[in-house]
Every structure is written in C-alpha cells, then in structure tokens.
Amino acid sequence: MFKANAWVISVLMGLGHLRAAYPLRDLAHEGIILYGSQRSTPLREYRIWRRLRKIYYFSSNVGKLPLLGKPLLNLLLAVQQIQPYYPRRDLSGPNTAVRYLDRLISRKGLCSGLLERLDGTPLPRIHSFYATAMAAARRPGPAEDYLLICDSDFNRVWVPRDPRSGRLKYLAPCTQVRNRLLAYGVPPERIFLTGFPLPKENIGGREDLEILREDLFRRLLRLDPKRKFFSYHLRSVLGWLSQEEVPQASPGHFNLTFAIGGAGAQCDMALPILRSLQQSVLADRVRITVSAGINKKVYERLLGFINRLNLGGEMASGRIGLVYDPDVYAYMDKFNRVLRTTDVLWTKPSELSFYCALGIPILMAPPIGTHEELNRCWLREIHAGVDTAGPLRFTHEWLFDLLENGRLAEAAWDGFLKVRKLGTYKIEDLIRTGACSEGNSPLEQ
Amino acid sequence: MIKVFFLSILAVSLFTTGIYLFFTLRFRPKKNITVDQGHYFPRVSIFKPMKNMVDDLAENLESYFTLNYPNYEIIFGMDTLQDATIPFIHSLQSRFPEIPVSIIATGHSDEQNPKIFKLARMESGSQGELIWVTDANTCVAADTLNRLVLEYRRSSAHVIFSPIRGTGSRSLASLMENMSLSLFTSGNIITAWKAFKQQIIVGKSMLIEKAALGHFGGFSYFSEFLAEDFVIGEAFENSGFKLSCDCTWIDNVSRSTTFRSFFLRMARWAKLRLRLKPVFYVMEILLNPVALSLALPFLLPGRGWLALAAAWTLKIAIELVSYIVLSRGEQEPWRNFLMLPLAVILKDLILLIVYFVPFFSRTIVWQGGNITIGRRTSIGGRGERIVLEGA
C-alpha cells in the first residue's frame, strides 16, 4: 500500500472529475476531498458551487427541452468552445471563462475554505477540477499543485490567465493534451505525460498488469466468436498478453455495459436498447448491465424499464444487471468490478473514453458538449471507439454484426496498445520522486 | 359573476366530499373471511416500530397476536430496551408463546427518517417473504393479514396499502381526528385508487414484498425522506412494480387526543403534503366546504347566513353518515353523536388554520425531535445530499 502523502481534491460535477481522482485514493491524505459539498464548503461559497452544479446538470439535459432545447444547447456549446488546434498558433491569451473564474476566485472567494484547510499541511496537491487548482496555485506557499486533465482536449479555462509565470503543474492523460497545453502557453517542464488514472483493481501490479491482461484475453475470446480478429492479430495478442494459445471455446457470455452519465441524460436511450435486446437476453446471447450512477431517479426509471419489459426475473438470473449506489465511492467500486467482465462499454465519450486503455471497446453514445465531441474524435483516431451502426431499436441486429466481424475485438485491442494505462502508478511516482517516465511499450505506458 | 363562480366552487367542494363518502361507503369494511387451509401462505414478518405509549396499546398489540393467518412473526423495533412498551410485549409473548416474536433495540438517528432507521434494522432479522409494516396505534381484525395476502396473490402486486378507519373516540379532539382519518384521508386513498389508479400510501399499513424491496437495497433507500410512505409508493410505481389496494381497512385508535396534539398532527401532515405535491396542496382548501362557506354572508347579503347554515348542515350530514357506517365502533359512547355537529365544524375550522401553517414553517416535531424538511420532504431542508467525503 502506498503511503498517503498528497491532498487529492475533486468536485462532484457529474462523475467525471471524481472518477479521475478515485484511483488516487491510496495517495490521499485524509481521503479524497470532495469540495463544493455542503459538508466540506463554507455556506457562502457552497451557494456558488450549488449554482455551478445546477448549471452543469441543466446544460447536460438542455438539449431535451422542447423548442428552446436546440438553440440553448448551441449557445452553451458556443460558450464552451475549444479553439481548433490547427493551424498551430499561440493560444495563451485568456478567454472570457478564464476572466470569469479569476473574478470568482479573487472577488467571491471561491475555494477560500479549501485553501484554509490545505494551508495547515503543506503536501503536494492533486486537483481533478480546474477551479480548485487555479485558486490553490495563486496562493504563495511551498506546496506543489498538480492539475489532472480529464478529457483528451480541453478549454482554455483549465490554464491560468498567465500560463508562463504560474507554478501549476499538469498531468496529461494523452499526447494531444500535452500538445494543447503547449499551445496554451504552459512551459514543457510543467507538463507530465502520465496517462489517465485508472483503477488499480482493473490493472493489477504495475510490472505485470496481470489483471488487465487476463481480463483482456478472456474479453477478446468473447468478442471474436468467429476468430476473425485472431486470424490477423494472433501472434501480437499471444505475445503481449503472455498466452500460449487461443482456446476453441469462449469463456462465458457476451457482456454489454451501458453507462449513463452523472446527469442522467442518456436514461432515455436505455428503453429502446433493452427492448431491442430483450429476446437476445432471454436467449442468453448477451448479458446487459446498465450503470445508473448515484441518481435515484435514474435508477428507478431504469428499474421501471426492466420491469415493464418483463425482464425483472432476468435480474435474479444475472442476465440483466443494474449498477447503482447512493454512495459515490461504493458506486465506483461496483462499476469497476463490472468492468472486469465488460466486453463492450456503451457510453457517451466522457472521461470513460480513457478506459479503453483497459482493452474495453467504447461504443459511443452521442456526445454532450465540446469536450465530448473531441473525445469522440480522439477515440476514432486511435480506433478504440466504435460508432453505433444503426438506430437503437435495431441494436439486436447491428451489435451482433459488429461482434461477429471482429470490429469490437479490434477496438479493444487498439485501446490496449495505444492508450496509456499506468496513470495511477505514474502519478504516484511523480509525487514520491518528483519525476515519472513516459514509457515506450504498451506495458510501460 | 363572482357569486356564481364562488357558489360553483362551493358546490364542487361539497360534491367532492360526497364523492369521498360514496367511495368510502362503497368499499367499507367487510365481514370476516375464513382461512382456506389449502392455500400456500407465504411467511409474513410484521414490523412494529414502537416509540413510547399510545392509546389502547395492549389491545392494539393483542390484535396482532390473534390473527388467523398461519405463518407469521412479529418484530418490534424501538430506540432502547427501556421503552415503556416492553412490559406489554413481554406479557403478550407469554400469553401467545406460539407466535414468534423478536424485539430489537435499533437506536435512533437524527439525520435519517426515524421510522425508516428502525425498519432498516428490523429488516435484517426478518424471515418473511412479505413484510407488513404497521404503526403501534393500529388495531386489526383477525382476518386482516389474510385479506392482504389474498390481494397480494390475486393482484401480483408488490405493495398492498390500506385505507384507515379512525376509532375509539373518547374526547372531542379524538372524534375530530378519527372523522378526518375516516372521511378525508381514506376518502382520498380510495377515490384516488379506484377512480384514477393513483396510489396514496399511508404508512400505518403497508404490505411489501421483500424481494421487490431488495431491488432498492432495503428500507434504508428511503431514509432521507420524512414522508417515507409516499416516497415508497412513488419509488415502487416509478420502478414498474405493481401496487394495489383492496380496501382492507386498518383501525387507527385515537382515544384521548387533545386539541394540541390534533393540531400538531394535522399540521405535520399538511407540511408533508405541501412539500410532496405543492399544486394539489394549494387546491386542498377547495375540499373544506365549511371554511369556504364562511365567505357566504359577505357574498350574499341577507341570504348568506342561510346558505352558510345549509352548507354546514350538508357537511355535517355527510360526516354523520360516514361516522355511522365507518367510525362508530361498538364501544363508542352515544354522546359522540351529540358532539358530532360541533366536532365537524370545529375540525374544519381548525383545518382552515392548519392549512396555512406549512407556508410559514418547514420544521416538524416528530418522535421527540425537530426535523426540518425540504423538497419532497427531504430531511435536512434545502441542501443537496452530497455528503460523501473520505474515500
């Protein structure tokens, strides 16, 4: 067990920022600080956080509003807009969001309660949300501040007004993020290409990655029932995963996990998917797990879909599963457990995009917001993400086509080969020694 | 124009009260049924959350030891084993040794619904396929559980709920409380269910399938809300589980209620209703014809008092029929008849005052503590429930 010697600070704004911080819990002094919650935040400041959360949840669902939904969504997307990376140019000038955040911190005292708490123990501080990092990095003191970027590309607001003179260090999950940080004016010596922190319980030891490799091999067997994928990649798979041969039989059932985001915006998709796959579930061709998050209303709606489709009995037999817990950490533990046997993760391209590094193909639901649009582009570029191949009501047709032609297995393999998976360990190295290697091979990254 | 509009509202108000009467009479308590020994009787765990003494406690509890259902256990949950109800339970245990009984000291939580806190702890020790939650101040007929289980089998519902009959009146305030329960509360429950298939669950009696409850992780799922009965019904309904009400009535014994306790209880329920269904609550004033008719003398100079008297007489007549058919048990004194007109008018005028209380107060005094409620009766008021620090 790694000795706790850093502050790990996150916020509950959806689940993404906390999901990024949770694998770092072994490092966390006094546990992960979930800032902006009623208990951890002074009342005056708590109101600001509550308002920010309301805006977040509203913007996640605004597209569904009748008539005004689309124009409002376009307006919000314009506010979040990320400048195109090409042509390469200096993007270090602050935008409106940077100036607004500056004002919130300096005039409204955003994060002042947090800083008072941190000042007492000058340990390194790892932030998974920009606002706490900006506030902490402005304060003079001996502690180092690290900001973990949670998407494959990101808005200028993640970098302070004057990026060159600050002391904030960055943990980049992928090369594209490093390039973007450079474009925003962050000096290279303050950027660490670590990878996104993934749960250790899904990886295993940092040298062997025994859990990841074993799970992935079993997954590839399930994802390639006709052995098309193996006909191309057999030697590569056996080599990287330290296996002797490919068995004839697939180990277990084909498992689909559909993850609903923290704001519950994809809940409506679950019904047509379940309806379409109903017969396949009953025939034991596929097992479905729907991840409801921590939202009771979402959980009840999903349970309602399942019961109304007369699939309630399949929950007892394990053919249908629901992942829910009102405690966000318990939920994440459950979700990570489910991922071990997940063969396809159907999700909007959020921070979960980085979970393709575990060798899980990402079936991409429609993105919400600019960050997710760019995550989708990134997943496409590395071939770890697959677009839905048809309407939801025909999932029972196209999903099995994707399975049988080996496309899902390919995506799983590409994610494993191309995406950094040791983020958690690299960040631990960085905190302990002040440096971390970027690694060369898929097993070292 | 205003006069016509107001008189129409008053007419609708009286008509709605009449509808309540119709449904409560139509589905009034039925005669005892006999047990068909050929059926399968799923084991039922009767949950009795207790807190101090209530009217007729011994008789109430005894009615649960004399049910003609063959397969059940009773689990009592209380804050501590020093609770004043313990001697009564021990006495019944010795008189009915064939009934399996457990007594659990659950402790108390200020941050959660106290009743749910108890139920969640009682749940772990229960053996039943079905859980029947009933309040300490309820009394049931010998065949009540049989009826509920029959309905459970017949309807394949996962929750069976019941209307409540107020009985045992020995004071003016208890008479008012019992009449309110029998006509207003139960009228709402039955009319909503029979006419609109809308559930209004009152926590005094809920038969719940344990396997269905398991989908929510048990009772603790509902711990953050004070109106646990409504929220349970809503959660089951939203989740596609069936609910049913076959109108197996449960008696609520209120014998020595004072004006103060009547006012506080009505105010407590009103506060919950406002937070649960604000629009419906605002319209509730329309269900009080006695209060509405106070405006008649001003609207109809000359004949206003006559109209008011007519409206009040009609309301008293409706309540009298309800009382005769529903509320009046064999042991109720004849003087209740004499008090009834006064009780009806006084009750409705007090309810008029109670109606305004929730707009000014969110604090509820219950089970020895002050609880502030927010939207949907969430405990703790307006704050979000993001209290998840420390991995």
Side-chain angles (χ1 to χ4, degrees), chain A residues 222-329:
Chain A
R222 290 190 295 265
L223 285 176
D224 190 24
K226 302 214 163 155
R227 300 293 183 257
K228 279 192 173 177
F229 163 79
F230 277 105
S231 67
Y232 300 123
H233 300 281
L234 178 69
R235 290 171 72 177
S236 170
V237 171
L238 294 181
W240 284 114
L241 302 185
S242 307
Q243 298 289 331
E244 299 290 325
E245 59 179 1
V246 175
Q248 286 297 314
S250 294
H253 301 84
F254 172 47
N255 301 303
L256 169 71
T257 297
F258 179 64
I260 290 171
Q266 296 75 34
C267 202
D268 290 338
M269 289 176 65
L271 181 60
I273 293 170
L274 286 167
R275 187 177 283 140
S276 171
L277 291 174
Q278 188 173 10
Q279 293 309 317
S280 306
V281 168
L282 294 171
D284 220 4
R285 283 185 80 194
V286 62
R287 296 190 167 193
I288 305 173
T289 304
V290 186
S291 170
I294 58 171
N295 187 325
K296 276 187 180 174
K297 281 196 173 169
V298 170
Y299 175 70
E300 286 168 19
R301 279 193 73 196
L302 292 172
L303 200 51
F305 295 157
I306 290 167
N307 281 328
R308 284 179 198 113
L309 290 170
N310 290 321
L311 289 170
E314 305 312 312
M315 290 183 78
S317 67
R319 290 181 184 139
I320 298 267
L322 272 178
V323 185
Y324 160 80
D325 201 293
D327 180 320
V328 70
Y329 299 123

Side-chain angles (χ1 to χ4, degrees), chain B residues 165-316:
Chain B
R165 175 170 66 172
T167 62
S169 316
R170 290 288 184 279
S171 66
L172 185 59
S174 63
L175 183 61
M176 293 192 301
E177 183 168 287
N178 287 333
M179 286 195 307
S180 175
L181 274 173
S182 298
L183 186 63
F184 181 74
T185 306
S186 297
N188 257 310
I189 293 171
I190 300 171
T191 309
W193 182 251
K194 296 294 179 188
F196 306 107
K197 279 286 167 207
Q198 294 294 310
Q199 57 86 14
I200 299 175
I201 295 184
V202 176
K204 290 187 177 294
S205 168
M206 300 182 282
L207 184 79
I208 303 173
E209 188 186 74
K210 195 174 183 182
L213 183 66
H215 283 287
F216 300 97
F219 281 109
S220 52
Y221 183 86
F222 309 100
S223 64
E224 69 195 85
F225 297 101
L226 199 60
E228 80 288 338
D229 40 12
F230 180 88
V231 176
I232 286 173
E234 193 179 58
F236 272 77
E237 199 167 45
N238 292 343
S239 306
F241 292 111
K242 247 176 113 179
L243 295 94
S244 183
C245 172
D246 77 327
C247 298
T248 300
W249 290 69
I250 305 295
D251 284 353
N252 180 87
V253 181
S254 171
R255 195 170 290 273
S256 57
T257 306
T258 61
F259 277 96
R260 182 182 150 73
S261 59
F262 170 66
F263 183 89
L264 288 176
R265 177 171 296 175
M266 292 298 137
R268 189 176 84 219
W269 289 354
K271 287 172 191 175
L272 298 179
R273 292 200 302 276
L274 174 64
R275 267 79 199 181
L276 288 170
K277 299 264 182 186
V279 176
F280 282 97
Y281 182 79
V282 169
M283 284 163 42
E284 258 185 31
I285 189 72
L286 303 178
L287 300 176
N288 189 340
V290 169
L292 288 177
S293 57
L294 289 174
L296 288 173
F298 305 99
L299 282 172
L300 305 171
R303 290 172 299 165
W305 290 105
L306 195 63
L308 180 140
W312 284 18
T313 306
L314 192 51
K315 180 70 198 301
I316 290 168

Side-chain angles (χ1 to χ4, degrees), chain B residues 77-125:
Chain B
M78 51 206 68
D79 290 0
T80 69
L81 293 178
Q82 278 71 50
D83 196 272
T85 59
I86 288 277
F88 292 88
I89 298 168
H90 283 322
S91 157
L92 287 163
Q93 260 185 301
S94 57
R95 283 176 55 205
F96 301 96
E98 70 281 9
I99 307 289
V101 171
S102 312
I103 302 173
I104 300 175
T106 60
H108 179 85
S109 168
D110 290 328
E111 292 183 346
Q112 297 179 27
N113 180 318
K115 183 172 170 181
I116 289 291
F117 187 79
K118 281 194 180 81
L119 294 177
R121 275 137 198 86
M122 293 155 80
E123 198 181 332
S124 55

Side-chain angles (χ1 to χ4, degrees), chain A residues 60-75:
Chain A
S60 295
N61 288 289
V62 71
K64 290 184 198 165
L65 289 177
L67 296 175
L68 286 176
K70 282 273 155 61
L72 274 174
L73 183 63
N74 289 335
L75 185 70

